[in-house]
Amino acid sequence: MSPTTTPSTSEDHSLKASSHEAEAECPQTVVMSSCSSLRLRTRRRCPEFTPVVMAAGCGSQMFELAEHTPKCMIPIGNTPMIWFSIDFLLRHNFEEIFIVVRRGAKDKIDNFLTSQIRKNNVEVLIEYICIDDDTDAGTADSLRKVAPKTKCDLLVISSDLITRVSLHDIATVHRANNAALTALITERYSVPTPDGKKKRNKKDDRDFIGLDPRDDRILFISNEKDLESELVIKRGQLLELPHMRLHTNLVDCHLYLVSRTALDILDAHPDVSMMKCELLPLLVRKQIKQIVNSDTVFDDRIYSIRECEEEDAKPDNYYDILFQSEAVGCYVHHTDQFTLRVNQLHNYTRYNRAVVEHMADVLLPSEGCEVSKKTQIGKCSRLGSGVKVADKCSFKRSFLGDGVGVGAHCKIVDCVIMQDVTIEDNVTLTNCVVCSDAVIKAGASLKDCTVCQGMEVVAGAQFVGETLSTEEASNMMSFSIANSETSSDNDK
């Protein structure tokens, strides 16, 4: 469904983005239909949430795909993944969006979004918050740049999130609990086996999330990769919170509603840089201290945690953080709607198939394909614009990006082929990811391989379970030349 066909309701208007001054580190982009400028200037000035799309990630767990392409522009079902986040916001009638990007990727992202928003004939104002390419700024640092531009709570969404959830369901939880932060969680996406069971891939990262089943309050949260050798929960917390249940099958979706209270706490802790592994645990600890340790409450106020010798008295070096009426509360909304995060390479091909099955109406259309009538294309496959396919090829559960050329007698199964890839005759690819501008020469056979951008696979090559890059190819060529020189010296 196109974003322009989403009907507007009174509830939708309560979720529109806030207006703000036109000052930003990067230029803002205004995209709107020709007759909508008056509505943009006169719309409500006090909406509830301001959306922030986090699109500055480097894709460390998808480095082979993100080495030369911004992670948020990696295609899913031949659609750059950031479009799913933007479409989600447009469906909920937001008219202003902040996007946090790397400075070097800003133009590429802006050109794509401007083109697609105009095609959909919707009005939206986009302001970019640019992060220098050589800095290690975290998501919490980005929030500090956005917070002064609005007086509203923030809706923070990762650009690698793809979901069918209704924002109104999350907002209801946030409002009902007067929460400092509300997070979206879901069960880890997995394809059932033939016997109906779902198995976890051992390569998947696990979140350890402790919840109070009575009200879905977050009592503990940590990611497996952030732990060293053991999971530690304090005895006092277990005694005071005996109802806590620790879940390992739930995933933090990186969609948060963040209140001004939480932003004030963030400002009081300049050392906090990351949202998931630092800010969220900090808020949870403050919430737990309210429940477990009443010694930090004096005169109806909650004080920051500082070491002191006398726990029964208010120490001189404590300072006020918030009134008790603004006490910290962290909650979750558990959704069973289709939701996944595309943040690990080993799930990339499988997630492409899942998105085509569940999000087909969001995928960008293709046009101008030239496919031989003698070629077989499975129903789960998808071809991009300008694709050219020769005679007697077979595609099963595969995705070909824009401008891909495929020679005759090729067999491609469970693969993702990105844009402008050239595949010559008699090539066999199984469960492979081929990045843009790569060339697969005639007769090559690859299985469970990743071909990096610009790589040329020689004719007749056979690889299984390899990552093929131009750097490795240069090393192999140097090694080959060195061996040949050694052989020549030995012959002499």
Side-chain angles (χ1 to χ4, degrees):
M1 180 176 67
S2 172
T4 57
T5 63
T6 305
S8 177
T9 65
S10 59
E11 189 176 15
D12 289 333
H13 288 297
S14 69
L15 294 171
K16 288 184 179 179
S18 68
S19 60
H20 51 79
E21 298 179 359
E23 298 178 357
E25 290 82 352
C26 286
Q28 62 184 6
T29 299
V30 182
V31 184
M32 65 186 75
S33 58
S34 59
C35 61
S36 62
S37 58
L38 181 61
R39 291 203 305 275
L40 186 63
R41 291 177 186 145
T42 60
R43 66 179 180 272
R44 296 178 58 185
R45 306 291 291 182
C46 294
E48 188 175 2
F49 299 111
T50 297
V52 183
V53 180
M54 294 295 180
C58 298
S60 58
Q61 298 187 77
M62 304 177 70
F63 177 75
E64 295 85 350
L65 309 187
E67 183 178 7
H68 302 286
T69 301
K71 179 189 173 185
C72 65
M73 293 296 290
I74 294 175
I76 301 294
N78 290 343
T79 300
M81 68 171 71
I82 192 174
W83 180 246
F84 294 94
S85 300
I86 300 300
D87 178 82
F88 172 82
L89 297 175
L90 294 178
R91 286 171 182 266
H92 290 90
N93 291 335
F94 284 101
E95 293 177 346
E96 295 184 43
I97 303 172
F98 288 96
I99 304 181
V100 180
V101 298
R102 292 284 173 178
R103 194 174 299 276
K106 186 260 177 183
D107 289 341
K108 183 174 184 178
I109 297 170
D110 183 40
N111 291 338
F112 166 72
L113 292 179
T114 300
S115 173
Q116 292 305 317
I117 290 172
R118 283 175 175 164
K119 288 180 181 179
N120 285 274
N121 193 32
V122 293
E123 60 177 53
V124 65
L125 186 145
I126 295 177
E127 182 170 338
Y128 293 91
I129 305 297
C130 292
I131 306 298
D132 290 336
D133 297 339
D134 57 351
T135 61
D136 193 24
T139 49
D141 295 322
S142 301
L143 291 187
R144 291 190 180 95
K145 294 186 177 184
V146 177
K149 299 177 181 292
T150 177
K151 296 181 180 180
C152 308
D153 290 358
L154 299 184
L155 162 60
V156 182
I157 180 172
S158 175
S159 62
D160 61 13
L161 176 64
I162 302 175
T163 181
R164 282 289 191 190
V165 71
S166 170
L167 181 57
H168 303 298
D169 296 338
I170 311 171
T172 298
V173 175
H174 190 71
R175 298 186 194 109
N177 295 291
N178 192 23
L181 183 143
T182 303
L184 177 67
I185 62 171
T186 188
E187 290 189 10
R188 182 180 295 103
Y189 179 81
S190 59
V191 179
T193 59
D195 58 359
K197 297 182 179 179
K198 294 183 178 181
K199 294 184 178 180
R200 183 182 75 89
N201 191 318
K202 293 183 179 180
K203 296 181 180 180
D204 289 340
D205 285 340
R206 284 191 299 176
D207 286 326
F208 297 96
I209 303 177
L211 300 177
D212 188 331
R214 298 170 298 180
D215 58 5
D216 281 338
R217 184 188 294 261
I218 304 176
L219 303 178
F220 181 88
I221 185 166
S222 183
N223 187 271
E224 185 175 22
K225 64 183 180 182
D226 296 328
L227 302 174
E228 295 182 356
S229 58
E230 57 185 12
L231 179 65
V232 178
I233 301 177
K234 294 184 178 179
R235 179 187 177 192
Q237 182 176 341
L238 293 175
L239 292 175
E240 296 294 333
L241 305 170
H243 299 286
M244 183 177 72
R245 294 182 181 177
L246 190 63
H247 300 265
T248 60
N249 64 326
L250 299 179
V251 176
D252 176 10
C253 300
H254 286 220
L255 187 155
Y256 310 104
L257 297 182
V258 184
S259 72
R260 301 305 304 187
T261 298
L263 294 175
D264 291 341
I265 294 175
L266 176 62
D267 286 339
H269 292 78
D271 57 322
V272 173
S273 177
M274 303 300 295
M275 188 168 180
K276 166 69 180 292
C277 59
E278 293 180 356
L279 177 60
L280 183 52
L282 172 65
L283 296 176
V284 171
R285 288 197 301 272
K286 288 185 176 296
Q287 172 186 247
I288 296 300
K289 184 162 282 289
Q290 293 169 203
I291 301 172
V292 176
N293 187 1
S294 60
D295 292 339
T296 57
V297 180
F298 303 92
D299 302 327
D300 293 330
R301 289 176 179 264
I302 297 175
Y303 293 87
S304 65
I305 305 169
R306 301 276 183 85
E307 293 183 359
C308 66
E309 297 179 357
E310 297 179 350
E311 297 183 355
D312 295 333
K314 172 183 172 181
D316 294 334
N317 61 344
Y318 269 49
Y319 62 94
D320 296 349
I321 287 187
L322 63 159
F323 290 104
Q324 192 171 13
S325 60
E326 299 176 312
V328 179
C330 300
Y331 296 85
V332 299
H333 172 65
H334 188 173
T335 182
D336 57 1
Q337 298 294 315
F338 175 76
T339 300
L340 55 81
R341 286 190 63 218
V342 186
N343 63 336
Q344 291 185 289
L345 181 60
H346 67 273
N347 286 324
Y348 180 65
T349 303
R350 184 161 57 95
Y351 283 178
N352 271 266
R353 296 196 298 268
V355 165
V356 169
E357 179 181 354
H358 296 278
M359 305 287 291
D361 57 316
V362 183
L363 302 180
L364 302 182
S366 60
E367 54 188 15
C369 297
E370 299 179 12
V371 181
S372 170
K373 294 182 179 179
K374 297 181 180 180
T375 287
Q376 298 179 348
I377 301 177
K379 64 179 182 179
C380 294
S381 296
R382 188 176 180 87
L383 307 184
S385 299
V387 170
K388 296 182 180 180
V389 182
D391 292 341
K392 296 184 179 180
C393 293
S394 173
F395 301 94
K396 296 181 180 179
R397 302 179 298 279
S398 296
F399 304 86
L400 276 65
D402 297 346
V404 172
V406 182
H409 302 281
C410 292
K411 184 177 181 180
I412 300 178
V413 180
D414 293 328
C415 293
V416 177
I417 314 297
M418 297 187 185
Q419 63 183 13
D420 299 323
V421 170
T422 300
I423 301 175
E424 296 185 355
D425 298 345
N426 299 303
V427 169
T428 300
L429 302 176
T430 304
N431 195 34
C432 293
V433 177
V434 183
C435 296
S436 58
D437 300 314
V439 177
I440 313 295
K441 293 290 188 177
S445 177
L446 307 181
K447 182 178 180 181
D448 301 330
C449 290
T450 300
V451 181
C452 296
Q453 181 172 339
M455 175 66 185
E456 180 176 311
V457 179
V458 298
Q462 296 186 6
F463 293 100
V464 177
E466 298 287 344
T467 297
L468 308 177
S469 66
T470 52
E471 181 179 353
E472 291 180 352
S474 299
N475 292 338
M476 292 175 63
M477 184 176 295
S478 301
F479 179 75
S480 176
I481 294 173
N483 282 346
S484 63
E485 292 177 349
T486 302
S487 299
S488 299
D489 291 339
N490 291 336
D491 291 341
K492 291 178 181 179

